[in-house]
mmCIF file of all heavy atoms in Angstrom:
data_model
loop_
_atom_site.group_PDB
_atom_site.id
_atom_site.type_symbol
_atom_site.label_atom_id
_atom_site.label_comp_id
_atom_site.label_asym_id
_atom_site.label_seq_id
_atom_site.Cartn_x
_atom_site.Cartn_y
_atom_site.Cartn_z
ATOM 1 N N ARG A 11 97.173 97.921 85.000
ATOM 2 C CA ARG A 11 95.917 97.901 85.867
ATOM 3 C C ARG A 11 95.228 99.181 85.825
ATOM 4 O O ARG A 11 95.874 100.244 85.555
ATOM 5 C CB ARG A 11 96.259 97.570 87.313
ATOM 6 C CG ARG A 11 97.307 98.449 87.912
ATOM 7 C CD ARG A 11 96.716 99.288 88.997
ATOM 8 N NE ARG A 11 97.614 100.435 89.404
ATOM 9 C CZ ARG A 11 97.640 101.642 88.830
ATOM 10 N NH1 ARG A 11 96.855 101.812 87.853
ATOM 11 N NH2 ARG A 11 98.548 102.492 89.161
ATOM 12 N N ASN A 13 92.337 101.018 88.804
ATOM 13 C CA ASN A 13 91.979 100.857 90.087
ATOM 14 C C ASN A 13 90.543 101.410 90.218
ATOM 15 O O ASN A 13 90.411 102.663 89.986
ATOM 16 C CB ASN A 13 93.024 101.621 90.989
ATOM 17 C CG ASN A 13 92.891 101.302 92.513
ATOM 18 O OD1 ASN A 13 92.264 100.221 92.819
ATOM 19 N ND2 ASN A 13 93.399 102.179 93.307
ATOM 20 N N GLY A 16 90.292 103.471 95.705
ATOM 21 C CA GLY A 16 91.439 103.203 96.707
ATOM 22 C C GLY A 16 92.671 103.729 96.237
ATOM 23 O O GLY A 16 93.577 103.020 96.024
ATOM 24 N N GLU A 17 92.821 105.057 96.167
ATOM 25 C CA GLU A 17 93.970 105.608 95.571
ATOM 26 C C GLU A 17 94.890 106.247 96.741
ATOM 27 O O GLU A 17 94.364 107.037 97.515
ATOM 28 C CB GLU A 17 93.659 106.668 94.572
ATOM 29 C CG GLU A 17 94.472 106.729 93.229
ATOM 30 C CD GLU A 17 94.301 105.351 92.512
ATOM 31 O OE1 GLU A 17 94.961 104.433 92.627
ATOM 32 O OE2 GLU A 17 93.361 105.383 91.548
ATOM 33 N N HIS A 18 96.173 106.055 96.581
ATOM 34 C CA HIS A 18 97.141 106.438 97.702
ATOM 35 C C HIS A 18 96.815 105.850 99.076
ATOM 36 O O HIS A 18 97.077 106.606 100.093
ATOM 37 C CB HIS A 18 97.204 108.045 97.688
ATOM 38 C CG HIS A 18 97.902 108.528 96.405
ATOM 39 N ND1 HIS A 18 99.250 108.574 96.375
ATOM 40 C CD2 HIS A 18 97.440 109.014 95.255
ATOM 41 C CE1 HIS A 18 99.647 109.080 95.173
ATOM 42 N NE2 HIS A 18 98.411 109.339 94.534
ATOM 43 N N THR A 19 96.094 104.799 99.070
ATOM 44 C CA THR A 19 95.739 104.197 100.331
ATOM 45 C C THR A 19 96.837 102.928 100.578
ATOM 46 O O THR A 19 96.936 102.484 101.653
ATOM 47 C CB THR A 19 94.439 103.570 100.375
ATOM 48 O OG1 THR A 19 94.184 102.899 99.089
ATOM 49 C CG2 THR A 19 93.394 104.647 100.389
ATOM 50 N N ASP A 20 97.357 102.441 99.515
ATOM 51 C CA ASP A 20 98.233 101.243 99.546
ATOM 52 C C ASP A 20 99.382 101.317 100.560
ATOM 53 O O ASP A 20 99.647 100.477 101.385
ATOM 54 C CB ASP A 20 98.626 100.644 98.202
ATOM 55 C CG ASP A 20 99.612 101.600 97.418
ATOM 56 O OD1 ASP A 20 99.645 102.792 97.648
ATOM 57 O OD2 ASP A 20 100.197 101.106 96.472
ATOM 58 N N TYR A 21 100.231 102.481 100.469
ATOM 59 C CA TYR A 21 101.272 102.671 101.281
ATOM 60 C C TYR A 21 100.820 103.130 102.721
ATOM 61 O O TYR A 21 101.734 103.541 103.549
ATOM 62 C CB TYR A 21 102.312 103.588 100.712
ATOM 63 C CG TYR A 21 101.843 104.851 100.148
ATOM 64 C CD1 TYR A 21 101.598 105.997 101.094
ATOM 65 C CD2 TYR A 21 101.479 105.104 98.863
ATOM 66 C CE1 TYR A 21 101.289 107.199 100.555
ATOM 67 C CE2 TYR A 21 100.981 106.253 98.341
ATOM 68 C CZ TYR A 21 100.888 107.287 99.364
ATOM 69 O OH TYR A 21 100.420 108.573 98.784
ATOM 70 N N VAL A 26 92.420 98.790 98.502
ATOM 71 C CA VAL A 26 92.476 99.086 97.000
ATOM 72 C C VAL A 26 91.665 98.079 96.345
ATOM 73 O O VAL A 26 91.274 97.062 96.822
ATOM 74 C CB VAL A 26 94.009 99.156 96.408
ATOM 75 C CG1 VAL A 26 94.809 100.138 97.106
ATOM 76 C CG2 VAL A 26 94.647 97.702 96.633
ATOM 77 N N GLY A 107 99.800 106.291 84.469
ATOM 78 C CA GLY A 107 99.063 105.933 85.630
ATOM 79 C C GLY A 107 98.345 104.520 85.619
ATOM 80 O O GLY A 107 97.506 104.298 86.415
ATOM 81 N N GLY A 109 100.144 101.526 85.652
ATOM 82 C CA GLY A 109 101.034 100.458 86.303
ATOM 83 C C GLY A 109 102.036 99.904 85.294
ATOM 84 O O GLY A 109 102.466 98.840 85.362
ATOM 85 N N GLU A 143 111.732 98.859 92.446
ATOM 86 C CA GLU A 143 111.163 100.077 92.318
ATOM 87 C C GLU A 143 111.577 101.019 93.480
ATOM 88 O O GLU A 143 111.867 102.190 93.212
ATOM 89 C CB GLU A 143 109.630 99.957 92.216
ATOM 90 C CG GLU A 143 108.794 101.152 92.026
ATOM 91 C CD GLU A 143 108.515 101.559 90.511
ATOM 92 O OE1 GLU A 143 108.720 100.566 89.836
ATOM 93 O OE2 GLU A 143 108.145 102.563 90.303
ATOM 94 N N SER A 151 106.913 103.645 95.904
ATOM 95 C CA SER A 151 105.526 103.300 95.690
ATOM 96 C C SER A 151 105.168 102.179 96.668
ATOM 97 O O SER A 151 105.870 101.461 97.244
ATOM 98 C CB SER A 151 105.413 102.714 94.239
ATOM 99 O OG SER A 151 106.266 101.674 94.080
ATOM 100 N N GLY A 152 103.786 102.024 96.811
ATOM 101 C CA GLY A 152 103.157 101.034 97.506
ATOM 102 C C GLY A 152 103.155 99.750 96.628
ATOM 103 O O GLY A 152 103.895 99.735 95.566
ATOM 104 N N MET A 153 102.438 98.669 97.090
ATOM 105 C CA MET A 153 102.466 97.472 96.312
ATOM 106 C C MET A 153 101.141 97.297 95.363
ATOM 107 O O MET A 153 101.037 96.240 94.829
ATOM 108 C CB MET A 153 102.546 96.308 97.198
ATOM 109 C CG MET A 153 103.972 95.950 97.399
ATOM 110 S SD MET A 153 104.308 94.360 98.215
ATOM 111 C CE MET A 153 104.397 93.338 96.812
ATOM 112 N N LEU A 154 100.331 98.382 95.221
ATOM 113 C CA LEU A 154 99.077 98.217 94.437
ATOM 114 C C LEU A 154 99.469 97.624 93.031
ATOM 115 O O LEU A 154 98.777 96.671 92.687
ATOM 116 C CB LEU A 154 98.458 99.592 94.317
ATOM 117 C CG LEU A 154 97.519 99.715 93.207
ATOM 118 C CD1 LEU A 154 96.211 98.807 93.469
ATOM 119 C CD2 LEU A 154 97.027 101.153 93.042
ATOM 120 N N ASP A 155 100.342 98.263 92.323
ATOM 121 C CA ASP A 155 100.622 97.815 90.912
ATOM 122 C C ASP A 155 101.179 96.443 90.732
ATOM 123 O O ASP A 155 100.594 95.753 89.887
ATOM 124 C CB ASP A 155 101.515 98.821 90.309
ATOM 125 C CG ASP A 155 101.156 100.407 90.418
ATOM 126 O OD1 ASP A 155 99.923 100.561 90.832
ATOM 127 O OD2 ASP A 155 101.899 101.319 90.140
ATOM 128 N N GLN A 156 101.992 96.070 91.587
ATOM 129 C CA GLN A 156 102.638 94.805 91.537
ATOM 130 C C GLN A 156 101.600 93.626 91.845
ATOM 131 O O GLN A 156 101.500 92.728 91.165
ATOM 132 C CB GLN A 156 103.834 94.582 92.448
ATOM 133 C CG GLN A 156 105.080 95.489 92.125
ATOM 134 C CD GLN A 156 104.837 97.006 92.537
ATOM 135 O OE1 GLN A 156 103.970 97.441 93.343
ATOM 136 N NE2 GLN A 156 105.655 97.884 92.042
ATOM 137 N N HIS A 199 107.083 109.829 88.927
ATOM 138 C CA HIS A 199 106.983 109.383 90.392
ATOM 139 C C HIS A 199 108.227 109.690 91.225
ATOM 140 O O HIS A 199 108.072 110.225 92.301
ATOM 141 C CB HIS A 199 106.805 107.880 90.398
ATOM 142 C CG HIS A 199 105.393 107.459 90.315
ATOM 143 N ND1 HIS A 199 105.022 106.060 90.318
ATOM 144 C CD2 HIS A 199 104.277 108.102 90.388
ATOM 145 C CE1 HIS A 199 103.766 106.046 90.141
ATOM 146 N NE2 HIS A 199 103.180 107.236 90.254
ATOM 147 N N TYR A 204 105.014 112.343 94.272
ATOM 148 C CA TYR A 204 104.451 111.112 94.961
ATOM 149 C C TYR A 204 105.253 110.790 96.259
ATOM 150 O O TYR A 204 104.633 110.572 97.309
ATOM 151 C CB TYR A 204 104.764 109.963 93.847
ATOM 152 C CG TYR A 204 104.170 108.583 94.430
ATOM 153 C CD1 TYR A 204 102.891 108.169 94.055
ATOM 154 C CD2 TYR A 204 104.986 107.838 95.291
ATOM 155 C CE1 TYR A 204 102.388 107.008 94.590
ATOM 156 C CE2 TYR A 204 104.493 106.613 95.784
ATOM 157 C CZ TYR A 204 103.159 106.246 95.385
ATOM 158 O OH TYR A 204 102.678 105.009 95.897
ATOM 159 N N GLY A 312 95.356 105.981 89.508
ATOM 160 C CA GLY A 312 96.854 105.787 89.823
ATOM 161 C C GLY A 312 97.327 106.929 90.585
ATOM 162 O O GLY A 312 96.597 107.546 91.338
ATOM 163 N N GLY A 313 98.661 107.130 90.504
ATOM 164 C CA GLY A 313 99.355 108.073 91.285
ATOM 165 C C GLY A 313 98.988 109.516 91.050
ATOM 166 O O GLY A 313 99.035 110.457 91.849
ATOM 167 N N GLY A 314 98.454 109.830 89.865
ATOM 168 C CA GLY A 314 98.181 111.198 89.485
ATOM 169 C C GLY A 314 99.287 112.077 88.927
ATOM 170 O O GLY A 314 100.223 111.368 88.524
HETATM 171 C C1 LIG B 1 101.085 104.439 91.944
HETATM 172 C C2 LIG B 1 101.872 103.602 92.872
HETATM 173 C C3 LIG B 1 101.018 102.749 93.689
HETATM 174 C C4 LIG B 1 99.810 103.531 94.369
HETATM 175 C C5 LIG B 1 99.084 104.404 93.288
HETATM 176 C C6 LIG B 1 98.075 105.424 94.048
HETATM 177 O O1 LIG B 1 100.460 103.714 90.926
HETATM 178 O O2 LIG B 1 102.723 102.832 92.172
HETATM 179 O O3 LIG B 1 101.650 102.064 94.627
HETATM 180 O O4 LIG B 1 100.251 104.355 95.429
HETATM 181 O O5 LIG B 1 100.025 105.342 92.617
HETATM 182 O O6 LIG B 1 97.091 104.737 94.430
#
Side-chain angles (χ1 to χ4, degrees):
R11 56 111 192 88
N13 189 18
E17 225 63 270
H18 290 277
T19 47
D20 63 344
Y21 51 85
V26 295
E143 183 92 12
S151 59
M153 271 192 90
L154 163 66
D155 304 350
Q156 293 80 12
H199 271 175
Y204 187 93

